[in-house]
Amino acid sequence: MDRAGGAPSAAVSFLATSRCADGGFPLFLAQPTCVSDVDATALALQALLAADRPLVAASAAQWLVSVQSNDGSFAANGVTNANSTGLAAQALFAAGRSLAWLRARQFLVSLQVTCTGAPADRGAIAYTPGGFDASTAARATAQAVPGIAGAGYATLSAAGAQSAAPILACAPW
């Protein structure tokens, strides 16, 4: 919306006032108890930065940092995963929280299938540290890559895009 002339001020105000007392944002709005959610907070943070609401965005960034695990990951519903960590990494990068972003990035990179994996899986991101599952890899990879690259939604563009996926270069055995 930022690139299309900006979000309506009423929408931005509604989002900003949906913040929970701890600084995060809920997945479900208008609930009796406001419960902050990693994914919702990461998306709200990026939207608020794009809408030039840095103070509200800063409290969201602080909440994300406060719930980041020691290994750099983030969890949703008690499950440490690449999806939530990827979204949080994007938001932390956009908010200038370099150390927290680097920790999240390192966790995401640790989930990447390397040259020891099946050739068709190389480069993909596992959903959890428990191992690679092809059924969850497409979404996990799609949400992790912008976090690894340090590209928030407000700065994504098609510039430099290629139609073919890069091939992970592996040394021959």
Side-chain angles (χ1 to χ4, degrees), residues 2 20 31 42 45 50 52 67 83 88 92-94 98 105 110 117 129 163:
D2 183 54
C20 296
Q31 297 297 308
L45 169 62
D52 198 28
V67 298
N83 298 12
L92 291 166
F93 182 85
S98 299
R105 183 184 189 281
S110 77
S163 60

Side-chain angles (χ1 to χ4, degrees), residues 3 15-16 18 33 48 53-54 88 95 109 118-119 132 136 153 162-163:
R3 288 184 243 174
L15 178 60
S18 296
T33 303
L48 290 163
R53 296 293 292 266
V109 169
F132 183 78
T136 58
Y153 287 129
Q162 299 176 19
S163 60

Side-chain angles (χ1 to χ4, degrees), residues 45-145:
L45 169 62
Q46 293 185 73
L48 290 163
L49 288 172
D52 198 28
R53 296 293 292 266
L55 295 178
V56 181
S59 68
Q62 183 56 43
W63 182 81
L64 283 174
V65 169
S66 77
V67 298
Q68 187 175 30
S69 296
N70 290 334
D71 65 1
S73 68
F74 289 85
N77 299 318
V79 178
T80 296
N81 67 83
N83 298 12
S84 296
T85 303
L87 292 174
Q90 291 176 51
L92 291 166
F93 182 85
R97 298 296 185 106
S98 299
L99 182 58
W101 167 68
L102 286 170
R103 291 176 57 228
R105 183 184 189 281
Q106 185 59 39
F107 173 78
L108 292 168
V109 169
S110 77
L111 298 179
Q112 189 170 33
V113 179
T114 63
C115 292
T116 60
D121 299 336
R122 292 177 184 164
I125 306 292
Y127 175 64
T128 65
F132 183 78
D133 178 352
S135 71
T136 58
R139 182 174 174 196
T141 302
Q143 288 188 272
V145 167

